[in-house]
Amino acid sequence: MRTGLLCPLALLFLLGQTTGNLEPLVPGPSSSSFLDSVFVSNFISGLSSNDSFTPSPGSESQSLSNFTGFEDDHGTCHCSVTLPDTTFPVQRVERLEFTAHVLSQKFEKELSKVREYVQLISVYEKKLSNLTVRVEIMEKDTISYTELDFELIKIEVKEMEKLIIQLKDNFVGSTTIVDQLEVEIRNMSLLVEQLETLDKNNVLAIRQEILALKNRLKECEASKGENVTVSPPPPAPGSCGHGGVVNISKPTIVQLNWRGFSFKYGAWGRDYSPQQPNGGLYWVAPLNTDGRHLEYYRLYNTLDDLLLYINAREYRITYGQGSGTAVYNNYMYVNMYTSRNIAKINLNDSRVEVTQTLPDAAYNNRFSYANVDWQDIDLAVDENGLWVIYATEASTGNMVISKLNDTTLTVLDTWYTRQYKPSVSNAFMVCGVLYATRTLNTREEEIFYYYDTNTGREGSLNVVMPKMRERVQSINYHPFDQKLFVYNDGYLLNYDLIFNKEPK
């Protein structure tokens, strides 16, 4: 065995280290035979048995510090080389570049959100400033606003509160500005509520009284110096000392029903009690979106509560059907689901006290009004009490009027008309007289027919009734207010009836 003889692979590796280029001297699959036969043989033959390879001091081969090589008795070269870890980490760099790209995209996304939130905050800062100015005006002037002004402001404040909650949930980072805005909006909401409680002047009522006084003054001015006959005074509220309906006012839009625009069918009105004619509560009973099922209704002690959506008592029932609901003497009367039965509901606890079958009445959309389904049985209230308007198979669909005992719901008397019920759009009772309407066009109804149960007479009328939407779902009359409460495609309307001052 020759000492100091390095194997060809070690020599090649040292040469690569010396030249600074290792890879070209490392035998590959295509060049190993050539290196073994030519280069290595010549190089080894040039070394004597006592020669040894010693790297020159300071050369790059000094980084190769751990290698061994020898040739065994059979002439086989054995070598062991420990390479330094100088491989470039390409995969790590690629992963780093990908991670940096993802982070950059996330940053841009969050930055765009911040820009959007900054714009929204700027918009609502302006709104908050405008609200501050409006509240200051209200504080200085006690008669330049109404309850509805408060409601509009409260709606805007609620919208800003929702935005602040959204911002806090999605905002990443410092929320100092958002927190400050939240405090200011909360203070604004409290201020509006305090101003609302301090409003001791019933501004709407005062304005109506002023308008009535102005009209009376105009009448006095027009009649001054003229020799005119004095017309009889208008009928007292709740009395029948008049000659019937001769005209109707333009509608007053009270508001959209509390369940929303999708609830186009329903009824509303004011409770009438002969003992307390002016003390009745207000009720709103929208049907479900199927236009058939009466499930929820609300009660309000005053019109102001209804206008402002406050202090409402909400109840749920499971048996109401159609828009023919009426309220009389603190009881609600409804047609029961899929039947000709009538239910009497105590409004104090929403409990059914009496149910009664209406004899021979058609039901389940057999003879409902035109354009309004499921109103075969239409309950009504006037100065004389509780009525029901319906049709029977025996009447061949013509309208039938029955006076009901409001305690037991039994039929006291019945009148048969010659007016076909499905050709009528709706109906109501005033002083024992049935008035029926029909559709002229999408903006007008007409009170075209009447039947007087006091005399048995029937005839035609021509009283045009403007409306806001296309279909009228229900009409309820209040004897003391002498108003019609109309449910018009989800909107709550009021009409003032005008009577013939000369009693018939």
Side-chain angles (χ1 to χ4, degrees), residues 143-160:
I143 61 171
S144 64
Y145 62 95
T146 67
E147 288 84 352
L148 291 179
D149 291 325
F150 285 118
E151 180 61 17
L152 293 174
I153 293 177
K154 288 165 69 176
I155 290 173
E156 293 183 20
V157 172
K158 287 180 180 178
E159 290 178 354
M160 288 191 292

Side-chain angles (χ1 to χ4, degrees), residues 81 200 276 373 481:
V81 179
K200 304 301 182 183
Q276 294 180 327
D373 295 334
D481 294 341

Side-chain angles (χ1 to χ4, degrees), residues 390-445:
Y390 58 105
T392 65
E393 296 293 343
S395 73
T396 62
N398 288 346
M399 300 179 78
V400 179
I401 310 165
S402 289
K403 182 72 172 64
L404 298 180
N405 182 312
D406 61 277
T407 303
T408 63
L409 298 183
T410 55
V411 175
L412 301 178
D413 206 348
T414 299
W415 295 262
Y416 295 89
T417 76
R418 290 182 292 180
Q419 178 61 47
Y420 187 54
K421 187 171 182 284
S423 68
V424 172
S425 61
N426 229 282
F428 59 96
M429 300 291 297
V430 177
C431 291
V433 179
L434 168 75
Y435 293 91
T437 63
R438 64 184 175 188
T439 300
L440 296 180
N441 51 59
T442 59
R443 286 293 179 265
E444 290 180 323
E445 296 278 306

